[in-house]
Amino acid sequence: KLNVGLNFLAAKLKPQFSEITTTLRMDENMTGAITSIGNPVFKPVRNTISLKLSDGVLTYGTVNNSGKTVSFPSLGSNGLRTVTATPTTLIHNTVTNATLNFGTLQVDGETKSNITISGLSIKPGHRYNLILTLKTCTKEVLGNSGLDWSYPAVTRWVNFQQRTGIEINGVFYPNG
């Protein structure tokens, strides 16, 4: 009940958003760097949320089909081996099937399109660290035209150190 004059209201409001900090990192055995990250987006998300103070009921707005863009810093001219995005704030009720889609991702000179990380569980009011480690193939690639290749390990002196790697058309690629 409000009285004439000054009235005080004390309330504790619990955040109803989720926050995800996304990190892409390369496995130590990979060569090169992450040189391009195109259009990373979390889905599903809502445009708005309303809280009814009298009973605490939350009402979620319409679904934003475009999703929420993840903002990564500049990768520089040489790229980075580990890159962490600015925390992404999401509005949505509890989901167990959220996705993170990369329109394009270029790593070690190789570009892939439409990479989807699916099955993400997200609950309102929680902060998450999503760490994605990029690794090389661990098995011999066979059966596809153009992918039947195998390079024997070779050892070379690089910067006064003996290094193991592979050699392709006279170019040495050290491990790591």
Side-chain angles (χ1 to χ4, degrees), residues 73-135:
S74 170
L75 300 174
S77 59
N78 295 322
L80 298 170
R81 292 191 56 81
T82 299
V83 59
T84 300
T86 303
T88 306
T89 303
L90 303 177
I91 301 173
H92 208 290
N93 50 341
T94 300
V95 294
T96 58
N97 62 343
T99 62
L100 171 58
N101 181 269
F102 293 91
T104 59
L105 184 60
Q106 186 176 46
V107 179
D108 195 18
E110 183 88 19
T111 302
K112 298 293 180 188
S113 299
N114 296 319
I115 300 168
T116 301
I117 312 303
S118 58
L120 302 174
S121 293
I122 303 172
K123 293 181 183 178
H126 288 80
R127 286 187 170 137
Y128 299 94
N129 289 316
L130 177 60
I131 301 171
L132 302 171
T133 302
L134 307 173
K135 295 186 174 189

Side-chain angles (χ1 to χ4, degrees), residues 18-92:
S18 301
E19 185 178 85
I20 301 175
T21 301
T22 306
T23 299
L24 287 176
R25 66 181 180 198
M26 294 177 64
D27 184 83
E28 62 185 33
N29 294 315
M30 287 186 69
T31 60
I34 302 166
T35 52
S36 176
I37 302 170
N39 199 30
V41 175
F42 278 109
K43 291 182 181 182
V45 296
R46 302 285 181 144
N47 286 324
T48 60
I49 184 173
S50 298
L51 169 65
K52 188 174 178 185
L53 291 176
S54 63
D55 59 10
V57 171
L58 298 172
T59 304
Y60 290 91
T62 59
V63 173
N64 178 344
N65 291 320
S66 299
K68 179 73 181 243
T69 301
V70 181
S71 180
F72 283 94
S74 170
L75 300 174
S77 59
N78 295 322
L80 298 170
R81 292 191 56 81
T82 299
V83 59
T84 300
T86 303
T88 306
T89 303
L90 303 177
I91 301 173
H92 208 290

